[in-house]
Amino acid sequence: MSNFNVTFYLKLIFFISFLAIISAYYFEYILGYKPCNLCLIERIPYVLSLVVILINYKFKKKQKNFILLLIFIFIFSLITSLYHFGIEQGFFQESLICTVKDQSNILSKDEILKELQNITVSCKDVTFRVLGFSLTTINMIVSLLLLTLLTKIFIFYEKIKK
């Protein structure tokens, strides 16, 4: 780890986060796979990490604090992915998060009937796989790897800071 500086690792994490978001939108809008509600929630840490890393470049003196914030972001990502994986595998029952839709724009009974006809994607259904792994499993692995990397960066910050 001492061969590279913190900036290199943050650029790597930024690239991975950007790739994760672009891939999610590609699967949804180009390939047509509808995400479940938990899949949508699992995108949040990647967007947050992009924002935090960009802000980090403005406030370099607080870099270690931003790294700690990224650690908490990817802890959330890992927990969410583990929970979603548990639902996919049948370890947990689907929660209200999996079934709730945004109903704030429904005003008439015709619109309500129209909404009832829309198919919602269940959190336990795997609609897309890469090399036999669900996207949730891949997200779980990526979150764990990024969390491990960020923890090492935080612990050895003074040695690798340049």
Side-chain angles (χ1 to χ4, degrees), residues 67-94:
I67 292 168
L68 185 60
L69 180 58
L70 287 168
I71 289 171
F72 287 121
I73 287 170
F74 282 103
I75 287 172
F76 171 78
S77 180
L78 182 60
I79 290 170
T80 307
S81 297
L82 284 168
Y83 177 64
H84 194 178
F85 180 77
I87 290 173
E88 286 180 355
Q89 299 302 313
F91 301 137
F92 308 120
Q93 293 291 326
E94 285 184 289

Short mmCIF file of all heavy atoms in Angstrom, two decimals, residues 67-94:
data_model
loop_
_atom_site.label_atom_id
_atom_site.label_comp_id
_atom_site.label_asym_id
_atom_site.label_seq_id
_atom_site.Cartn_x
_atom_site.Cartn_y
_atom_site.Cartn_z
N ILE A 67 -12.45 10.29 4.52
CA ILE A 67 -12.22 8.84 4.41
C ILE A 67 -13.07 8.11 5.45
O ILE A 67 -13.68 7.08 5.16
CB ILE A 67 -10.72 8.51 4.55
CG1 ILE A 67 -9.96 9.05 3.33
CG2 ILE A 67 -10.49 7.01 4.71
CD1 ILE A 67 -8.46 9.05 3.47
N LEU A 68 -13.14 8.66 6.66
CA LEU A 68 -13.99 8.07 7.70
C LEU A 68 -15.46 8.10 7.27
O LEU A 68 -16.19 7.11 7.47
CB LEU A 68 -13.79 8.80 9.02
CG LEU A 68 -14.52 8.23 10.23
CD1 LEU A 68 -14.07 6.80 10.51
CD2 LEU A 68 -14.27 9.10 11.45
N LEU A 69 -15.89 9.18 6.68
CA LEU A 69 -17.26 9.28 6.18
C LEU A 69 -17.51 8.23 5.10
O LEU A 69 -18.56 7.57 5.08
CB LEU A 69 -17.53 10.68 5.64
CG LEU A 69 -18.92 10.95 5.08
CD1 LEU A 69 -20.00 10.68 6.12
CD2 LEU A 69 -19.01 12.38 4.56
N LEU A 70 -16.55 8.03 4.22
CA LEU A 70 -16.68 6.99 3.19
C LEU A 70 -16.77 5.59 3.81
O LEU A 70 -17.50 4.72 3.31
CB LEU A 70 -15.51 7.05 2.21
CG LEU A 70 -15.53 8.21 1.22
CD1 LEU A 70 -14.18 8.34 0.51
CD2 LEU A 70 -16.66 8.05 0.22
N ILE A 71 -16.04 5.38 4.90
CA ILE A 71 -16.14 4.09 5.61
C ILE A 71 -17.57 3.86 6.08
O ILE A 71 -18.14 2.78 5.88
CB ILE A 71 -15.13 4.03 6.78
CG1 ILE A 71 -13.71 3.91 6.23
CG2 ILE A 71 -15.46 2.87 7.73
CD1 ILE A 71 -12.62 4.06 7.28
N PHE A 72 -18.17 4.88 6.69
CA PHE A 72 -19.56 4.74 7.15
C PHE A 72 -20.53 4.54 5.99
O PHE A 72 -21.48 3.77 6.09
CB PHE A 72 -19.97 5.95 8.00
CG PHE A 72 -19.34 5.95 9.36
CD1 PHE A 72 -18.53 7.01 9.74
CD2 PHE A 72 -19.53 4.91 10.24
CE1 PHE A 72 -17.94 7.02 10.99
CE2 PHE A 72 -18.94 4.90 11.50
CZ PHE A 72 -18.14 5.96 11.87
N ILE A 73 -20.28 5.20 4.88
CA ILE A 73 -21.14 5.05 3.70
C ILE A 73 -21.09 3.60 3.21
O ILE A 73 -22.12 3.01 2.91
CB ILE A 73 -20.71 6.03 2.59
CG1 ILE A 73 -21.12 7.46 2.97
CG2 ILE A 73 -21.29 5.63 1.24
CD1 ILE A 73 -20.55 8.54 2.07
N PHE A 74 -19.90 3.02 3.17
CA PHE A 74 -19.80 1.65 2.65
C PHE A 74 -20.17 0.60 3.71
O PHE A 74 -20.48 -0.54 3.35
CB PHE A 74 -18.45 1.40 2.00
CG PHE A 74 -18.41 2.01 0.62
CD1 PHE A 74 -17.74 3.19 0.39
CD2 PHE A 74 -19.10 1.43 -0.42
CE1 PHE A 74 -17.73 3.78 -0.87
CE2 PHE A 74 -19.11 2.01 -1.68
CZ PHE A 74 -18.43 3.19 -1.91
N ILE A 75 -20.18 0.97 4.98
CA ILE A 75 -20.78 0.08 6.00
C ILE A 75 -22.28 -0.02 5.72
O ILE A 75 -22.85 -1.11 5.72
CB ILE A 75 -20.50 0.58 7.43
CG1 ILE A 75 -19.04 0.35 7.80
CG2 ILE A 75 -21.43 -0.08 8.44
CD1 ILE A 75 -18.61 0.98 9.12
N PHE A 76 -22.91 1.13 5.48
CA PHE A 76 -24.33 1.14 5.12
C PHE A 76 -24.57 0.31 3.86
O PHE A 76 -25.52 -0.47 3.79
CB PHE A 76 -24.81 2.59 4.92
CG PHE A 76 -26.20 2.68 4.34
CD1 PHE A 76 -27.31 2.48 5.14
CD2 PHE A 76 -26.40 2.95 2.99
CE1 PHE A 76 -28.59 2.55 4.61
CE2 PHE A 76 -27.66 3.02 2.45
CZ PHE A 76 -28.77 2.82 3.26
N SER A 77 -23.72 0.48 2.86
CA SER A 77 -23.85 -0.27 1.61
C SER A 77 -23.76 -1.77 1.85
O SER A 77 -24.55 -2.55 1.31
CB SER A 77 -22.77 0.18 0.62
OG SER A 77 -22.88 -0.52 -0.59
N LEU A 78 -22.80 -2.18 2.66
CA LEU A 78 -22.62 -3.61 2.95
C LEU A 78 -23.82 -4.17 3.71
O LEU A 78 -24.32 -5.25 3.38
CB LEU A 78 -21.32 -3.83 3.73
CG LEU A 78 -20.99 -5.28 4.06
CD1 LEU A 78 -20.84 -6.11 2.79
CD2 LEU A 78 -19.72 -5.35 4.89
N ILE A 79 -24.30 -3.44 4.70
CA ILE A 79 -25.45 -3.91 5.49
C ILE A 79 -26.69 -4.03 4.60
O ILE A 79 -27.41 -5.03 4.66
CB ILE A 79 -25.70 -2.97 6.68
CG1 ILE A 79 -24.59 -3.12 7.71
CG2 ILE A 79 -27.07 -3.24 7.32
CD1 ILE A 79 -24.60 -2.08 8.81
N THR A 80 -26.91 -3.04 3.76
CA THR A 80 -28.06 -3.07 2.85
C THR A 80 -27.95 -4.25 1.89
O THR A 80 -28.93 -4.97 1.65
CB THR A 80 -28.17 -1.76 2.05
OG1 THR A 80 -28.17 -0.67 2.97
CG2 THR A 80 -29.43 -1.71 1.23
N SER A 81 -26.76 -4.47 1.36
CA SER A 81 -26.55 -5.59 0.43
C SER A 81 -26.72 -6.94 1.13
O SER A 81 -27.31 -7.87 0.56
CB SER A 81 -25.16 -5.52 -0.18
OG SER A 81 -25.01 -4.37 -0.93
N LEU A 82 -26.21 -7.05 2.34
CA LEU A 82 -26.37 -8.29 3.10
C LEU A 82 -27.85 -8.58 3.37
O LEU A 82 -28.31 -9.72 3.23
CB LEU A 82 -25.61 -8.23 4.42
CG LEU A 82 -24.10 -8.41 4.33
CD1 LEU A 82 -23.43 -8.02 5.65
CD2 LEU A 82 -23.75 -9.83 3.96
N TYR A 83 -28.59 -7.54 3.73
CA TYR A 83 -30.02 -7.68 3.97
C TYR A 83 -30.74 -8.12 2.68
O TYR A 83 -31.55 -9.04 2.70
CB TYR A 83 -30.59 -6.37 4.51
CG TYR A 83 -32.08 -6.39 4.73
CD1 TYR A 83 -32.65 -7.24 5.67
CD2 TYR A 83 -32.91 -5.58 3.99
CE1 TYR A 83 -34.02 -7.27 5.86
CE2 TYR A 83 -34.28 -5.59 4.18
CZ TYR A 83 -34.83 -6.45 5.12
OH TYR A 83 -36.18 -6.48 5.30
N HIS A 84 -30.42 -7.47 1.58
CA HIS A 84 -31.04 -7.80 0.30
C HIS A 84 -30.67 -9.23 -0.11
O HIS A 84 -31.52 -9.99 -0.58
CB HIS A 84 -30.60 -6.80 -0.77
CG HIS A 84 -31.41 -6.85 -2.02
ND1 HIS A 84 -31.19 -6.00 -3.06
CD2 HIS A 84 -32.45 -7.64 -2.41
CE1 HIS A 84 -32.04 -6.27 -4.03
NE2 HIS A 84 -32.81 -7.26 -3.66
N PHE A 85 -29.41 -9.60 0.08
CA PHE A 85 -28.97 -10.97 -0.22
C PHE A 85 -29.75 -11.97 0.64
O PHE A 85 -30.16 -13.03 0.15
CB PHE A 85 -27.47 -11.09 0.05
CG PHE A 85 -26.91 -12.46 -0.21
CD1 PHE A 85 -26.69 -12.90 -1.51
CD2 PHE A 85 -26.62 -13.32 0.84
CE1 PHE A 85 -26.18 -14.17 -1.75
CE2 PHE A 85 -26.11 -14.59 0.61
CZ PHE A 85 -25.89 -15.02 -0.70
N GLY A 86 -29.96 -11.64 1.91
CA GLY A 86 -30.74 -12.51 2.80
C GLY A 86 -32.17 -12.69 2.32
O GLY A 86 -32.74 -13.78 2.42
N ILE A 87 -32.75 -11.63 1.78
CA ILE A 87 -34.11 -11.74 1.22
C ILE A 87 -34.09 -12.62 -0.03
O ILE A 87 -34.95 -13.49 -0.20
CB ILE A 87 -34.68 -10.34 0.90
CG1 ILE A 87 -34.97 -9.59 2.20
CG2 ILE A 87 -35.96 -10.45 0.07
CD1 ILE A 87 -35.38 -8.15 2.01
N GLU A 88 -33.10 -12.41 -0.90
CA GLU A 88 -32.99 -13.23 -2.11
C GLU A 88 -32.84 -14.71 -1.78
O GLU A 88 -33.40 -15.57 -2.47
CB GLU A 88 -31.78 -12.81 -2.95
CG GLU A 88 -31.94 -11.53 -3.70
CD GLU A 88 -30.70 -11.16 -4.51
OE1 GLU A 88 -29.67 -11.86 -4.43
OE2 GLU A 88 -30.78 -10.16 -5.22
N GLN A 89 -32.10 -15.02 -0.74
CA GLN A 89 -31.84 -16.41 -0.37
C GLN A 89 -32.92 -17.01 0.53
O GLN A 89 -32.87 -18.19 0.86
CB GLN A 89 -30.48 -16.52 0.34
CG GLN A 89 -29.31 -16.09 -0.52
CD GLN A 89 -29.21 -16.89 -1.80
OE1 GLN A 89 -29.29 -18.11 -1.78
NE2 GLN A 89 -29.06 -16.20 -2.92
N GLY A 90 -33.89 -16.19 0.95
CA GLY A 90 -34.97 -16.68 1.79
C GLY A 90 -34.66 -16.69 3.27
O GLY A 90 -35.40 -17.26 4.06
N PHE A 91 -33.55 -16.05 3.68
CA PHE A 91 -33.21 -15.96 5.11
C PHE A 91 -34.11 -14.97 5.84
O PHE A 91 -34.37 -15.11 7.02
CB PHE A 91 -31.75 -15.55 5.31
CG PHE A 91 -30.75 -16.48 4.67
CD1 PHE A 91 -29.66 -15.98 3.99
CD2 PHE A 91 -30.89 -17.86 4.76
CE1 PHE A 91 -28.74 -16.82 3.41
CE2 PHE A 91 -29.97 -18.71 4.19
CZ PHE A 91 -28.89 -18.19 3.50
N PHE A 92 -34.55 -13.93 5.13
CA PHE A 92 -35.41 -12.90 5.69
C PHE A 92 -36.66 -12.77 4.83
O PHE A 92 -36.62 -13.03 3.63
CB PHE A 92 -34.71 -11.52 5.71
CG PHE A 92 -33.37 -11.50 6.34
CD1 PHE A 92 -32.25 -11.10 5.60
CD2 PHE A 92 -33.17 -11.86 7.65
CE1 PHE A 92 -31.00 -11.07 6.15
CE2 PHE A 92 -31.92 -11.84 8.23
CZ PHE A 92 -30.83 -11.43 7.48
N GLN A 93 -37.74 -12.33 5.45
CA GLN A 93 -38.95 -12.00 4.72
C GLN A 93 -38.82 -10.61 4.12
O GLN A 93 -38.11 -9.76 4.65
CB GLN A 93 -40.16 -12.02 5.67
CG GLN A 93 -40.49 -13.39 6.22
CD GLN A 93 -41.02 -14.31 5.13
OE1 GLN A 93 -41.71 -13.88 4.22
NE2 GLN A 93 -40.70 -15.59 5.24
N GLU A 94 -39.51 -10.39 3.01
CA GLU A 94 -39.51 -9.05 2.43
C GLU A 94 -40.15 -8.08 3.43
O GLU A 94 -41.14 -8.40 4.07
CB GLU A 94 -40.32 -9.03 1.13
CG GLU A 94 -39.60 -9.66 -0.04
CD GLU A 94 -40.39 -9.52 -1.31
OE1 GLU A 94 -41.42 -10.19 -1.42
OE2 GLU A 94 -39.97 -8.74 -2.17
#
